[in-house]
Amino acid sequence: MLPAVCFLIFYERSRANAILDFQLFNNWTFTSSIIAALVSFITMYSPKVLIPFFYQKILGFTPQKAGFLMMAFPTAMAVTASFSGWLSDKIGYVLLTTSGLVLNGLALVALANISLQTPITLIIIYIAMMGASLFQSPNNSCVMGSVPKNKLGAATGISQLIKNLGMVIGITFSVVIFSSRMAGMSVAYNQAFVKSMGFVYYLAAVLSFAGAAISSRRGK
């Protein structure tokens, strides 16, 4: 994968009409917004691959019930996205995007500390906190507002690339770390699962807080 990425960068830099306009990254506001978006998608999607298995294998829920409970994430995102973009026009994007990543990190810390005795209502609240879209709409607005009008197409393409890349990295990150932790534990399966899942969420929380620090500096 890395050789392919290096080749793509070299190829695009040598093109007169490149699809990926790397000159956009000379703008720190754009670059920091893209980095923050990558962090956001990595940390948002890292738990999504593990929670359904926790519901079914550990708590014994049916696939239908597990799927229904997973609706907490997109529902919270749909509700908050409807006003977060408007709010960013009123108070600015830095506060919303930074607080969104902090909230995401706090939700991950909370998920890292769940146990077999944690009420399902609390778990749903934690997942909804991650879905609260205080970050996405303001960040997208910042990305589009930081580039010239003739570069909006290129900025959109880079944003979508980062979105997909973040999702893939987040899922891969979770599975690799979780599997390696599970393999090295000699405790009961349920305990090993919860501890390994918690370790993944702690790492994701650290990454989310780092993204918040980058987001807070985007205009400086």
Side-chain angles (χ1 to χ4, degrees):
M1 181 177 178
L2 182 58
V5 172
C6 293
F7 173 78
L8 176 64
I9 294 175
F10 175 79
Y11 179 79
E12 288 296 312
R13 282 185 175 274
S14 63
R15 301 284 293 179
N17 297 308
I19 297 176
L20 295 177
D21 190 349
F22 288 97
Q23 291 185 351
L24 291 175
F25 290 98
N26 293 331
N27 181 342
W28 171 243
T29 301
F30 175 82
T31 301
S32 58
S33 299
I34 290 297
I35 295 173
L38 178 63
V39 170
S40 173
F41 281 107
I42 290 174
T43 57
M44 274 200 309
Y45 284 86
S46 60
K48 292 185 70 175
V49 70
L50 298 178
I51 284 294
F53 292 101
F54 174 76
Y55 283 153
Q56 296 179 64
K57 290 184 174 293
I58 306 302
L59 300 183
F61 294 165
T62 64
Q64 291 80 6
K65 184 175 182 178
F68 178 77
L69 294 177
M70 288 299 295
M71 289 178 61
F73 184 92
T75 300
M77 180 174 287
V79 171
T80 54
S82 63
F83 65 84
S84 60
W86 169 84
L87 191 59
S88 70
D89 293 335
K90 299 296 182 180
I91 65 175
Y93 49 78
V94 175
L95 177 61
L96 286 174
T97 54
T98 303
S99 61
L101 285 171
V102 170
L103 180 64
N104 185 63
L106 293 175
L108 285 164
V109 171
L111 284 170
N113 286 279
I114 63 175
S115 66
L116 300 178
Q117 290 74 40
T118 302
I120 188 63
T121 304
L122 279 180
I123 299 177
I124 294 173
I125 291 174
Y126 299 154
I127 294 176
M129 286 171 59
M130 292 188 60
S133 188
L134 295 177
F135 175 85
Q136 299 302 332
S137 295
N139 193 68
N140 291 337
S141 176
C142 178
V143 169
M144 295 297 103
S146 65
V147 300
K149 289 185 178 180
N150 64 331
K151 298 293 185 180
L152 288 176
T156 301
I158 293 173
S159 296
Q160 292 303 310
L161 173 63
I162 290 299
K163 175 182 178 179
N164 292 321
L165 187 61
M167 289 189 291
V168 171
I169 294 175
I171 293 171
T172 305
F173 163 82
S174 295
V175 173
V176 171
I177 300 299
F178 175 80
S179 300
S180 62
R181 294 284 295 183
M182 280 283 290
M185 289 190 175
S186 57
V187 297
Y189 178 84
N190 286 1
Q191 291 181 329
F193 190 103
V194 173
K195 288 182 179 293
S196 299
M197 186 174 68
F199 183 76
V200 171
Y201 291 169
Y202 272 128
L203 293 180
V206 171
L207 185 60
S208 187
F209 292 136
I214 294 173
S215 179
S216 67
R217 303 286 299 177
R218 70 175 65 199
K220 300 178 180 179

